[in-house]
Amino acid sequence: MSATAATNEASDLRDTALDGPELRVRLSKTWGTESGLWGALTTVDHKIIGRRYLITTFVFLFLAGLAAVAMRLQLAQPESKLIGPDLYNQLFTMHGTTMMFLFGVPVGEAFAVYLVPLMVGTRNIAFPRLNAFSYWVFLFGGLFLWISFFLNIGPDVGWFAYVPLSGPEFSPGKRADTWAQMITFTEVAGLAVAIEIVVTVLKQRAPGMTLDRIPLFVWAVFINSLVIIFALPAVVVASSFLIMDRLIGTHLFNPAEGGDALLFQHLFWFFGHPEVYIIFLPATGMVSAIVVTFARRQAFGYLALVLSLIAVAFLSFGLWVHHMFTTGLPQLGYAFFTASSMLIAVPNGLQIFCWIATLWDGRPDFKTPLLFVLGFFFIFVAGGLSGVLLASVPLDTQVHDTYFVVAHFHYVLIGGAVFPILGAIYYWFPKFTGRMLSERLGRWHFWLAFVGFNVAFFAMHISGLMGMPRRVYTYTAEMNWGALNLVSTIGALMLAASFALFLFNILRSMRVGAIAGDNPWGAGTLEWATASPPPPHNFDRIPFVTSREPLWAERDSLPVVTGLRVDNRELIASTVTEARAELREPSPEPSIWPFLAAIATGITFVASIFSPWAVVWGGALVAITLIGWFWPKGSKEDEG
Amino acid sequence: MRRPATILVLLLALAGCNTIQSPLDPASPQAHDLNRLFWIFVAVLGAIWLAVMVALAVALRAPRPAGADPLATDRGRDRRFGIVITGLAVATGVMVLVLTGLSYAAQRRLFAVEEEAVTIRVMGQQWWWQFTYEDVDASRTFITANEFHVPVGKPVKVKLNAVDVIHSFWVPSLMGKQDLIPGRENDIRFVAERPGVYRGQCAEFCGLQHAHMGLLVVVEAPEDFERWREAQISAAQPPTDSERQKGLEAFLSKPCVMCHTVRGTPAGGRTGPDLTHVGGRLTLAAGTLPMSRGNLAAWIVDPHGIKPGVNMPLIKLDPDELNSIAAYLEGLK
Amino acid sequence: MRQRAVADLSSLPTYGFGPKSPMWWGTLGFCAVEGMGFALAAGSYLYLVHVNPQWPLSAPPPDHWPGTVLTLLLLFSLWPNAVADRSARRQNLWAVRRDLYIMSVIGVLAVAIRLYEFAGLHVKWDQNAYGSITWILLGLHATHLITDLGDTLVLLVLMFTRHATGKRFSDVSDNAFYWYFVVASWIPLYLLIYWVPRWA
């Protein structure tokens, strides 16, 4: 027995030996993060990283929103000279790319990173260093894109970057390369988080949390993570093929040498369709959580809701050709995709019905989170139904690539994801910060956003039906689109103002908001069983779960398990289906290697758009940082 | 909830009139079919949305007493909810089936093949349209740009090819859109049912001037169409006055001939639009400006001011040359 | 909220093998991601075959011998790999050291043969779409060979240090699991690269 092992045996302090405040103090010390820059760079605390992700995704939301405001100002009048075609093309590319890759997917992952470990009753997310790494890679990717934009080498080929327009012949220079490589950054980050969520949910649930006691939000982000694992590789392949065609002369998309422009579309949309469900699925989890808490009733149709999530996840992989209905592929094949695209309305509808039933049999409490969920119903159902219209091949040949489609996807994305996300912020802000957001400001925020959104985007259904195509920087007066565009611009400005109000509410409430306490909403899931904000170790003792809504079932005292170490980081690994405790899994300490590995990765990705050899020497650099990362530190994490 | 409905009606009324490029203003059996299908879908889907909103509104009354146990459930009530929801899910499935069926039937009608009377080959390029009228007799084929004519009541086939990047051919009053993809040939078939001028526009983002890539389809009586076709087949009329003669000479001495063709003169460039009968077209620069002598001059003197990024270079001309060339081109009817 | 203890978990072990270990699931997740990437690249290959009137394009099919030898080597390696896994589960340090050494030698040989495969393709990546996709498939798999070799070498070194205890055996087992994936993913690629051009 080595000396260190002997010391460990001597100081093997378990939580059975301590209680109350002393237990909390010791655990906080073991699990805490140092203050200052070093602490920030080395932390592996999922709550700190989750908060970072949230703040960063919202910064990107605001940047993309500003791009949209600029576009709307340009389109408010016919033949406006405010913004020329080059800048406009960059703006709509940055708007779409940022919203989809830097906000839409990462924000759902941000909520998951923060909440899943708390909701399943564990102390940290699985693979905490990978979690830290993924944040830095995500940040570097977003910075890379936006800095390129400000240096005038940002992309201008749309968020979907079709070839041949984005290929070497028609997009010379570095612009399309920044798009393609940013994808690599963000998809690496997204995949890493997805794997962490899957493993946390499968292996780190509190003892007793059987599959049918898993909270609906956790189901939603778990299934979503599986979709991410199988969908994101497609866009990595598409963007990598594009970079190779552009930089090293491959011919994958060059019809003159045996390639095919449509191969890009197939690869891109094979990712692109599941992508919108990747954005939507976490929002369904938020809706479930908010509906249950504010209807003060457990969810109606838990099994139906879970099966619907699974059905949506599977079906979402079978729809992608509906983005290609005008490319001239065989009509019979198209008809299959019409059927599948309409069929997904069934599981989506089933969720809506179950939520309405929960509200029907409950006692709705109209706090701001519920208001945003009601906004979600109004807007998302309309958007989903316009999607059924778009699923029809003949109808799509008229409205594809017009403002009708722009209206549709903003209805489903803003209604279906942004509104629930805003509601989720009002709901979980007390848990994240310990303070409540202002209800009064929240109501103003909701109504301004709701009215502004509908004014802006309803009119677009009509301008599309009046023949206005997408991605146009201007239009002539004779087209008679001016009035509708002005209406849309006014609505967009209202929506932008609502976000300013939101920001004000957040900043003000962080200073003077009412103190929240552990469970201000009287909710039933485990994240509300600990302090607001939670201590670094989440729970003084790991809970033992007996119900889907643990805090509603166990009103007097919370059952817990004991026996974990206090002086080392330890959590429970349990069985996949029944959550029987199996291991006391050591959890990694803070480390600088994830940050260094992210720097090495960032250098490799950025340099490789200038020279293919960067992949080789950058790869070697990454390998060195990975060895440092995985090299064992000594007793604490291994010997146990 | 009432204000949005009023706005909707007003906006739809707006949509019905003054549209020059709208699928809701059909001028062919194909476009009519699509228009009908559209309104059926809107009616069905709109009714469903309304029903869901009503159910939600009813659900928001509060039957549960305050302080009730959130985990308590009424088995009978739950069973009733279950039956209703199952029924609604089945109804959703049925709705999906019906709409898929309607859609597929329309799809088959829309893409049915009928022997065409006129065949036009489109070469889409950044940022204009080249139209080649194909004919069994090779001496009767001809090339024009940005505007084409078809006879009323006769089936037309439009073959779609792209020279550079992906474009999309869309004339909503006549037919849905199809993409022009380098390396493939797609096609569109339609029958125009009433004379008129119908506007179309490229509907796939294709670069800097995607917004200014319009086209016109002129539908006319068969006799008028034949007359137009004969005129198009013939070479350019030689100039009749001295100003136009000067214009022709200036045109031939400048770089214009590197890109443009005027049949009947030595100008034989193939990169830009064919100008043999440019003066007879209704618009200039792919639907961007109305055709006139002034606009021809304005275009030549500053193409990048009108369509920034366009492939046509700036050619330095003195005012006399510019005016005479504009006069010459205007006369090419 | 008050708490009441219902179970004591003090005696649970701190590491396990296979599905007991969260790292095993992480490896599985990684294999899912990479497997999807392979599937899409393979799908792209078949798509390009489909859209072209003939295949391969302007080049003879690649020499299959280096690929065939490599395939046989990889299939053979499944045996020492399984032995390495067993040694790790039994926490037999001497056997693990031996098996990691053997797997390292196999890995180096595999990478060397891979270089011969590239040399025998008879087409460059920038010649046409056939050349491009063929180099990409081979290159994608080559990165997996190299990373697994790297992982094996690091573990080999670790097993000679003071860290050669407990959880490290679980890591060796997970590395063996990943090698199964590297071999399994090669088989369809081998058929695509070397035999589809002969059958198409």
Side-chain angles (χ1 to χ4, degrees):
Chain A
M1 193 193 287
S2 69
T4 29
T7 328
N8 277 345
E9 286 293 354
S11 66
D12 184 356
L13 184 61
R14 305 295 177 102
D15 60 20
T16 26
L18 292 178
D19 220 343
E22 203 200 339
L23 177 61
R24 175 166 298 193
V25 164
R26 296 275 222 140
L27 281 171
S28 296
K29 186 151 165 292
T30 304
W31 285 86
T33 294
E34 277 179 53
S35 57
L37 184 62
W38 186 255
L41 295 178
T42 57
T43 187
V44 289
D45 185 334
H46 73 100
K47 299 180 291 300
I48 296 179
I49 295 170
R51 217 169 46 213
R52 274 182 197 162
Y53 256 115
L54 271 174
I55 294 172
T56 311
T57 54
F58 269 85
V59 168
F60 285 127
L61 171 70
F62 278 81
L63 284 173
L66 288 173
V69 167
M71 286 154 60
R72 283 303 338 153
L73 289 174
Q74 161 66 11
L75 289 177
Q77 293 170 310
E79 297 175 80
S80 169
K81 297 268 186 271
L82 187 65
I83 294 175
D86 185 28
L87 179 58
Y88 189 89
N89 292 348
Q90 290 181 67
L91 284 172
F92 78 70
T93 304
M94 292 300 288
H95 172 74
T97 303
T98 303
M99 286 298 191
M100 299 301 275
F101 293 110
L102 299 176
F103 171 74
V105 172
V107 76
E109 296 201 305
F111 276 97
V113 162
Y114 194 108
L115 290 168
V116 167
L118 287 162
M119 284 184 170
V120 302
T122 187
R123 291 217 162 115
N124 204 351
I125 200 167
F127 314 128
R129 287 173 300 194
L130 184 65
N131 196 219
F133 168 78
S134 76
Y135 172 76
W136 297 119
V137 170
F138 160 70
L139 176 68
F140 295 158
L143 285 175
F144 173 56
L145 181 73
W146 278 88
I147 291 175
S148 300
F149 172 68
F150 286 115
L151 291 178
N152 204 28
I153 49 167
D156 58 353
V157 285
W159 85 280
F160 54 97
Y162 278 177
V163 296
L165 182 63
S166 61
E169 200 182 336
F170 298 100
S171 274
K174 289 296 161 209
R175 285 180 164 187
D177 300 318
T178 52
W179 177 86
Q181 204 59 306
M182 177 279 308
I183 301 243
T184 318
F185 274 102
T186 51
E187 306 316 85
V188 165
L191 284 164
V193 172
I195 293 181
E196 295 153 27
I197 302 283
V198 167
V199 178
T200 309
V201 172
L202 288 180
K203 293 299 296 172
Q204 286 183 201
R205 303 197 308 278
M209 186 181 279
T210 51
L211 290 179
D212 68 337
R213 291 177 185 160
I214 294 177
L216 286 166
F217 176 79
V218 174
W219 269 115
V221 297
F222 168 67
I223 288 166
N224 193 45
S225 299
L226 292 171
V227 178
I228 289 177
I229 285 171
F230 291 103
L232 259 55
V235 75
V236 178
V237 171
S239 65
S240 302
F241 281 8
L242 177 64
I243 292 187
M244 285 190 266
D245 267 23
R246 290 175 58 80
L247 295 180
I248 60 171
T250 51
H251 295 283
L252 297 154
F253 305 129
N254 178 6
E257 292 289 356
D260 189 357
L262 285 186
L263 175 61
F264 181 86
Q265 292 193 27
H266 280 294
L267 286 169
F268 184 82
W269 289 115
F270 186 79
F271 149 78
H273 193 80
E275 154 86 341
V276 305
Y277 286 96
I278 290 172
I279 295 177
F280 176 59
L281 284 176
T284 65
M286 295 168 190
V287 170
S288 286
I290 291 172
V291 163
V292 165
T293 298
F294 291 92
R296 309 214 58 77
R297 185 208 190 278
Q298 65 176 325
F300 179 87
Y302 177 92
L303 183 62
L305 285 165
V306 174
L307 291 177
S308 296
L309 288 171
I310 296 174
V312 167
F314 267 106
L315 274 174
S316 71
F317 281 94
L319 306 189
W320 85 92
V321 177
H322 73 219
H323 299 271
M324 299 167 66
F325 276 161
T326 59
T327 58
L329 296 176
Q331 292 297 328
L332 190 57
Y334 279 158
F336 168 81
F337 285 94
T338 293
S340 63
S341 304
M342 292 198 190
L343 198 59
I344 205 164
V346 176
N348 278 318
L350 195 50
Q351 289 194 77
I352 304 268
F353 304 145
C354 289
W355 289 322
I356 292 181
T358 309
L359 288 166
W360 194 303
D361 194 37
R363 185 186 176 77
D365 179 10
F366 293 94
K367 296 287 190 310
T368 306
L370 188 61
L371 289 182
F372 275 101
V373 165
L374 296 180
F376 150 81
F377 280 114
F378 186 96
I379 299 173
F380 173 73
V381 173
L385 293 170
S386 69
V388 174
L389 192 153
L390 285 163
S392 155
V393 173
L395 291 178
D396 189 59
T397 62
Q398 286 287 33
V399 289
H400 171 66
D401 255 317
T402 68
Y403 264 78
F404 188 91
V405 178
V406 177
H408 159 72
F409 67 68
H410 283 92
Y411 265 75
V412 284
L413 287 173
I414 296 186
V418 175
F419 269 64
I421 286 168
L422 293 173
I425 297 273
Y426 281 88
Y427 184 51
W428 278 300
F429 184 88
K431 180 54 56 180
F432 298 155
T433 64
R435 292 185 183 269
M436 309 293 288
L437 282 169
S438 157
E439 263 302 303
R440 203 175 51 88
L441 288 177
R443 251 186 271 286
W444 274 98
H445 171 201
F446 167 72
W447 284 108
L448 192 55
F450 181 78
V451 172
F453 168 82
N454 280 292
V455 168
F457 290 97
F458 189 80
M460 290 187 190
H461 289 104
I462 303 181
S463 45
L465 288 168
M466 285 176 65
M468 184 172 178
R470 292 174 71 171
R471 302 167 180 142
V472 292
Y473 75 100
T474 190
Y475 50 93
T476 53
E478 57 168 358
M479 302 309 298
N480 287 313
W481 298 331
L484 287 169
N485 272 281
L486 185 60
V487 167
S488 284
T489 301
I490 291 170
L493 292 172
M494 287 173 73
L495 187 58
S498 79
F499 276 101
L501 186 57
F502 177 54
L503 187 59
F504 175 69
N505 193 354
I506 289 188
L507 294 173
R508 186 166 166 278
S509 301
M510 286 187 75
R511 286 185 310 113
V512 301
I515 301 291
D518 289 6
N519 192 358
W521 307 115
T525 41
L526 283 177
E527 76 273 27
W528 304 103
T530 185
S532 303
H537 51 282
N538 292 350
F539 303 96
D540 291 345
R541 293 205 174 84
I542 301 291
F544 181 84
V545 172
T546 57
S547 155
R548 230 171 257 168
E549 304 284 344
L551 298 189
W552 284 350
E554 307 279 355
R555 294 226 172 247
D556 306 317
S557 65
L558 190 67
V560 297
V561 296
T562 58
L564 288 185
R565 290 185 70 155
V566 173
D567 53 341
N568 274 9
R569 296 185 175 216
E570 226 175 53
L571 43 81
I572 308 279
S574 49
T575 60
V576 170
T577 48
E578 291 171 11
R580 271 177 297 109
E582 268 191 323
L583 302 176
R584 287 177 296 123
E585 172 88 2
S587 189
E589 301 266 333
S591 163
I592 192 65
W593 289 105
F595 179 71
L596 295 177
I599 301 248
T601 308
I603 292 174
T604 310
F605 286 165
V606 174
S608 61
I609 69 173
F610 296 99
S611 159
W613 287 110
V615 177
V616 175
W617 49 258
L621 202 63
V622 172
I624 292 171
T625 56
L626 289 179
I627 292 174
W629 176 329
F630 286 105
W631 201 263
K633 308 280 173 305
S635 50
K636 278 197 142 184
E637 286 164 28
D638 308 326
E639 275 68 84
Chain B
M1 294 292 143
R2 240 178 293 127
R3 225 182 321 122
T6 333
I7 298 178
L8 162 61
V9 169
L10 281 173
L11 288 175
L12 281 176
L14 258 171
C17 27
N18 282 338
T19 56
I20 64 176
Q21 186 176 291
S22 171
L24 300 181
D25 186 23
S28 72
Q30 289 83 8
H32 272 292
D33 205 353
L34 289 168
N35 188 46
R36 259 192 305 271
L37 189 68
F38 171 76
W39 287 111
I40 293 174
F41 267 69
V42 167
V44 171
L45 299 170
I48 292 174
W49 179 82
L50 212 53
V52 175
M53 292 304 109
V54 166
L56 180 62
V58 173
L60 292 174
R61 323 152 285 117
R64 248 171 210 246
D69 178 8
L71 293 177
T73 49
D74 174 338
R75 279 194 167 275
R77 218 191 161 98
D78 273 10
R79 212 182 27 246
R80 278 195 303 277
F81 273 134
I83 292 173
V84 169
I85 290 181
T86 309
L88 289 174
V90 170
T92 311
V94 168
M95 180 268 297
V96 162
L97 245 106
V98 166
L99 292 178
T100 304
L102 282 174
S103 170
Y104 184 59
Q107 192 181 343
R108 293 194 57 172
R109 285 194 301 273
L110 210 62
F111 293 101
V113 171
E114 205 188 330
E115 178 80 51
E116 64 272 12
V118 178
T119 310
I120 298 163
R121 180 129 137 280
V122 180
M123 302 289 289
Q125 40 211 300
Q126 286 173 322
W127 288 279
W128 59 281
W129 308 89
Q130 179 181 311
F131 301 122
T132 304
Y133 277 71
E134 295 187 342
D135 202 299
V136 178
D137 177 354
S139 65
R140 292 182 60 74
T141 68
F142 62 92
I143 295 179
T144 182
N146 297 324
E147 177 184 305
F148 68 88
H149 293 221
V150 295
V152 166
K154 300 272 164 57
V156 176
K157 177 177 173 182
V158 183
K159 297 183 185 175
L160 305 170
N161 294 280
V163 166
D164 40 30
V165 299
I166 299 179
H167 299 275
S168 192
F169 179 90
W170 186 43
V171 185
S173 291
L174 295 176
M175 179 56 174
K177 63 182 67 72
Q178 288 289 298
D179 292 348
L180 288 68
I181 300 173
R184 321 167 79 84
E185 183 174 274
N186 288 332
D187 62 66
I188 273 188
R189 292 168 181 271
F190 64 90
V191 178
E193 65 185 18
R194 57 182 159 90
V197 177
Y198 303 101
R199 194 177 188 278
Q201 193 166 345
C202 174
E204 182 60 63
F205 179 64
C206 53
L208 280 169
Q209 286 301 320
H210 166 64
H212 287 131
M213 192 169 156
L215 69 128
L216 288 180
V217 182
V218 177
V219 178
E220 38 196 14
E223 321 83 65
D224 296 328
F225 170 74
E226 288 307 328
R227 226 175 306 126
W228 176 84
R229 178 156 47 178
E230 291 306 322
Q232 291 287 317
I233 289 172
S234 62
Q237 299 284 19
T240 44
D241 62 64
S242 62
E243 192 189 18
R244 295 193 62 232
Q245 179 61 37
K246 266 209 304 237
L248 170 58
E249 284 156 20
F251 178 79
L252 290 176
S253 69
K254 295 291 175 196
C256 320
V257 304
M258 305 290 302
C259 298
H260 294 287
T261 294
V262 178
R263 274 176 281 120
T265 74
R270 316 267 289 206
T271 338
D274 185 303
L275 298 180
T276 311
H277 299 285
V278 61
R281 296 184 204 147
L282 294 165
T283 61
L284 183 56
T288 308
L289 297 167
M291 178 61 66
S292 73
R293 190 170 149 166
N295 280 337
L296 279 163
W299 173 253
I300 295 168
V301 95
D302 185 19
H304 292 267
I306 296 168
K307 275 173 86 161
V310 74
N311 289 324
M312 172 158 156
L314 187 62
I315 310 288
K316 286 238 173 271
L317 297 169
D318 62 53
D320 279 339
E321 290 173 316
L322 178 66
N323 284 323
S324 59
I325 290 178
Y328 170 65
L329 293 174
E330 196 212 3
L332 288 175
K333 299 232 190 271
Chain C
M1 198 172 192
R2 286 187 307 124
Q3 296 180 347
R4 65 179 199 280
V6 301
D8 184 63
L9 306 177
S10 305
S11 57
L12 286 181
T14 56
Y15 64 91
F17 291 90
K20 264 196 178 172
S21 148
M23 186 56 93
W24 182 91
W25 290 89
T27 312
L28 184 63
F30 186 74
C31 294
V33 170
E34 299 300 306
M36 196 61 194
F38 278 128
L40 291 161
S44 301
Y45 185 97
L46 291 169
Y47 180 90
L48 288 170
V49 173
H50 176 66
V51 299
N52 278 288
Q54 88 226 46
W55 194 267
L57 299 173
S58 314
D63 285 339
H64 78 84
W65 280 112
T68 302
V69 167
L70 178 70
T71 307
L72 293 171
L73 174 66
L74 291 182
L75 288 172
F76 164 78
S77 75
L78 292 174
W79 171 44
N81 192 49
V83 173
D85 191 17
R86 203 166 49 225
S87 308
R89 285 167 188 259
R90 291 184 184 151
Q91 307 192 53
N92 178 342
L93 182 58
W94 178 88
V96 164
R97 284 176 178 165
R98 172 201 67 198
D99 298 332
L100 282 176
Y101 187 73
I102 293 172
M103 292 309 294
S104 302
V105 167
I106 291 176
V108 169
L109 262 176
V111 172
I113 298 175
R114 177 54 46 89
L115 293 173
Y116 277 99
E117 286 184 89
F118 275 112
L121 285 179
H122 301 311
V123 69
K124 298 280 292 285
W125 68 89
D126 57 359
Q127 207 171 302
N128 53 41
Y130 159 71
S132 305
I133 194 67
T134 303
W135 273 76
I136 285 170
L137 288 182
L138 202 56
L140 209 54
H141 191 263
T143 30
H144 285 79
L145 272 182
I146 293 171
T147 45
D148 193 286
L149 174 59
D151 200 14
T152 309
L153 288 170
V154 169
L155 281 170
L156 177 62
V157 169
L158 274 173
M159 291 327 250
F160 284 94
T161 65
R162 65 185 174 107
H163 300 291
T165 59
K167 207 166 193 204
R168 209 92 306 102
F169 288 105
S170 183
D171 292 341
V172 172
S173 175
D174 290 337
N175 187 49
F177 178 46
Y178 182 55
W179 184 252
Y180 287 129
F181 169 74
V182 171
V183 175
S185 59
W186 172 242
I187 307 302
L189 294 182
Y190 169 69
L191 292 172
L192 282 178
I193 295 171
Y194 295 104
W195 295 101
V196 167
R198 291 173 162 86
W199 297 332

